[in-house]
Amino acid sequence: MRILELNEDTKNNILENLLKRNPNSYGEFEGRVNAIIEDIKANRDKAVFDYTARFDGFNLNKDNIVVTKEEIEEAYREIDPKLVEIIRKSLVNINNYHQKQKRNSWFDTTPDGTILGQKITPLSRAGVYVPGGKAAYPSSVLMNVMPAKIAGVEEIIMCTPPGKDGKIYCGTLVAANEAGVDVIYKVGGAQAIAAMAYGTESIPKVDKIVGPGNIYVALAKKAVYGQVGIDSIAGPSEIMVLADESANPRFVAADLLSQAEHDELASAILVTTSKEIATAVNDEITKFLNELSRKEIMEKSIENYGYILIAKNMDEAIDVVNEIASEHLELVTKDPFQTMTKIKNAGAIFLGEYSSEPLGDYFAGPNHVLPTNGTAKFFSPLEVDAFVKKSSIISYSREALAEIHEDIEAFAEAEGLTAHANSIKVRFE
């Protein structure tokens, strides 16, 4: 990995390089995605079937588009029983964490007859997208479905691409069944996003679409936003480790590579105040690359988006951490809890050398659907609130309105909105 002295130029160059991975930078794909969306809107099921045959090699039709009960039962026979138990343990932790995010409607009353409040209502239908093939991650199924389930969403549907034989990866089906998905459709890619956004004869229109995917899926979600809600337009995975001289170089190297193995666009950055740690981590990375299976992907990732930054002091290190606003941030310092109080921007923060990033990916309970590409400055992890909507409640008695009606009328007239003023005035003629 590149070892660089941290300064303003270094920081700006890194930020510029990382932004190249943003889905918004891939404009050449937008035309293809928009064409697929328009085709789905016009031809509905027929277009879905055609794209599935073209891209997935499976002859999809109205009779085989839905995963059957028998197919789910077959998935349980195929999957390693130990993995089923692990999925169930993980679900308990995810459920317990997200249950604490639930909020109730509230009302506030005053003696003069004023009632103000907020009514919280779950979405009617949510759509979860799950990638297929090599990118099939049962853990993502759990993370996307459970907050919706806890929020009280009436129906949760899932779209995932089939193999050429029409089968779905057994781990995906088992995770979906354990988490409580209502219907699973054998559809992937931009066509699945369009189908959930606009509806077809077979796939119902949803209120919100969540879940990861390739560049076509990301751009399709961007294109349908406004027609439906979305979780985010996710970019490639990223990890940042903030370490001082107390860190274990072998642990840090292992954690950086845990994200570099996702794909060639993944980012892995170490910020440290210790030159010795910087050198030792780099050496450990070289050793690991010769031991781990996805060597080519990791080498490309760290060659393009991997950095080891040496800061003059911890304040300078924290400053660049907040500026980059990484998806995953590990704090491996003498007092990580104290360091954490100075962190403003990060999707998930892992404290101490035994809280490595995969703990959050699979088991701890907090959601692993996190803001990427610096959007942790203004976005949050996927949560229960993402699957509810809030309505303001306003109720005034005549007595309560009487005290303020002239103020409202004056305000409306000052804006030239006489009908607004009249709506209040007629009640006191």
Side-chain angles (χ1 to χ4, degrees):
M1 289 177 75
R2 285 162 287 187
I3 300 179
L4 304 172
E5 296 283 345
L6 182 57
N7 55 47
E8 198 65 26
D9 288 340
T10 304
K11 180 176 74 173
N12 291 336
N13 289 338
I14 291 171
L15 287 169
E16 185 178 339
N17 191 37
L18 293 177
L19 285 174
K20 293 176 184 175
R21 307 171 314 129
N22 193 307
N24 292 321
S25 301
Y26 293 83
E28 69 268 26
F29 296 101
E30 288 186 348
R32 296 180 225 173
V33 168
N34 290 335
I36 291 172
I37 292 171
E38 290 304 315
D39 196 4
I40 298 294
K41 287 168 65 176
N43 298 300
R44 307 175 74 197
D45 264 2
K46 181 182 182 304
V48 170
F49 301 156
D50 289 346
Y51 286 118
T52 304
R54 187 192 311 178
F55 298 137
D56 301 306
F58 177 61
N59 184 25
L60 191 70
N61 58 58
K62 63 182 179 63
D63 296 321
N64 63 15
I65 190 172
V66 174
V67 171
T68 64
K69 180 182 177 184
E70 289 73 26
E71 287 175 298
I72 293 173
E73 290 171 351
E74 183 183 355
Y76 276 90
R77 292 193 294 271
E78 291 178 355
I79 196 171
D80 184 342
K82 289 181 180 177
L83 181 55
V84 179
E85 288 306 308
I86 292 169
I87 286 172
R88 288 171 178 165
K89 288 178 183 178
S90 179
L91 266 175
V92 170
N93 295 338
I94 296 167
N95 177 69
N96 290 344
Y97 182 86
H98 287 82
Q99 285 286 353
K100 294 179 173 65
Q101 295 179 340
K102 285 181 71 174
R103 292 199 277 176
N104 298 316
S105 301
W106 60 267
F107 299 90
D108 188 20
T109 63
T110 61
D112 65 1
T114 299
I115 301 174
L116 300 176
Q118 181 172 265
K119 183 176 183 292
I120 296 177
T121 309
L123 302 183
S124 295
R125 183 183 291 124
V128 177
Y129 183 82
V130 178
K134 294 179 181 177
Y137 301 125
S139 60
S140 283
V141 177
L142 307 183
M143 293 292 183
N144 280 280
V145 173
M146 285 308 294
K149 203 74 181 172
I150 291 165
V153 174
E154 293 174 25
E155 183 181 17
I156 302 170
I157 71 169
M158 189 174 100
C159 283
T160 188
K164 290 182 179 180
D165 57 358
K167 294 186 69 174
I168 307 295
Y169 171 56
C170 61
T172 298
L173 292 184
V174 169
N177 188 65
E178 293 290 329
V181 172
D182 294 294
V183 188
I184 305 169
Y185 297 93
K186 299 177 181 180
V187 183
Q191 59 271 26
I193 303 302
M196 289 191 283
Y198 294 97
T200 73
E201 293 89 344
S202 298
I203 301 174
K205 180 187 183 321
V206 303
D207 299 311
K208 188 161 193 168
I209 299 171
V210 300
N214 62 18
I215 187 63
Y216 293 99
V217 169
L219 290 176
K221 286 170 70 177
K222 177 185 175 186
V224 302
Y225 176 62
Q227 175 70 23
V228 293
I230 63 171
D231 50 352
S232 64
I233 305 168
S237 189
E238 53 200 31
I239 185 171
M240 175 172 277
V241 178
L242 174 58
D244 60 18
E245 68 281 1
S246 68
N248 182 317
R250 187 166 173 80
F251 292 177
V252 172
D255 294 354
L256 290 168
L257 291 177
S258 74
Q259 293 307 291
E261 77 168 339
H262 269 295
D263 63 59
E264 292 87 347
L265 293 174
S267 166
I269 300 174
L270 167 63
V271 183
T272 182
T273 52
S274 167
K275 290 183 180 180
E276 291 75 19
I277 288 292
T279 303
V281 168
N282 200 37
D283 291 343
E284 292 291 344
I285 284 174
T286 302
K287 294 175 189 175
F288 277 129
L289 284 173
N290 293 320
E291 300 171 7
L292 300 171
S293 61
R294 294 165 69 89
K295 180 180 179 180
E296 287 186 14
I297 292 174
M298 290 187 286
E299 283 181 331
K300 278 284 187 186
S301 169
I302 62 177
E303 177 186 338
N304 294 322
Y305 303 106
Y307 299 93
I308 296 176
L309 304 177
I310 301 173
K312 297 181 186 69
N313 52 56
M314 188 55 68
D315 286 340
E316 185 181 61
I318 290 171
D319 177 65
V320 77
V321 165
N322 282 324
E323 191 62 33
I324 292 176
S326 186
E327 177 188 16
H328 306 101
L329 172 64
E330 291 188 7
L331 303 181
V332 193
T333 59
K334 291 174 185 172
D335 188 351
F337 285 90
Q338 175 60 30
T339 307
M340 183 264 293
T341 63
K342 299 178 182 179
I343 301 301
K344 298 177 182 177
N345 305 319
I349 304 173
F350 300 79
L351 307 181
E353 65 180 10
Y354 291 100
S355 305
S356 63
E357 189 279 336
L359 175 65
D361 271 354
Y362 296 109
F363 217 76
N367 211 288
H368 77 198
V369 180
L370 302 167
T372 57
N373 279 111
T375 60
K377 290 180 178 178
F378 46 85
F379 280 144
S380 304
L382 188 65
E383 59 184 347
V384 171
D385 263 6
F387 296 96
V388 302
K389 50 196 175 69
K390 299 159 189 170
S391 303
S392 303
I393 302 297
I394 302 169
S395 175
Y396 268 57
S397 66
R398 189 181 195 284
E399 292 71 25
L401 187 60
E403 293 183 17
I404 59 169
H405 78 93
E406 292 179 353
D407 291 337
I408 300 170
E409 292 162 23
F411 213 150
E413 287 166 358
E415 294 187 347
L417 300 176
T418 55
H420 278 64
N422 187 60
S423 172
I424 299 292
K425 190 180 298 182
V426 296
R427 287 163 167 76
F428 297 95
E429 290 175 343

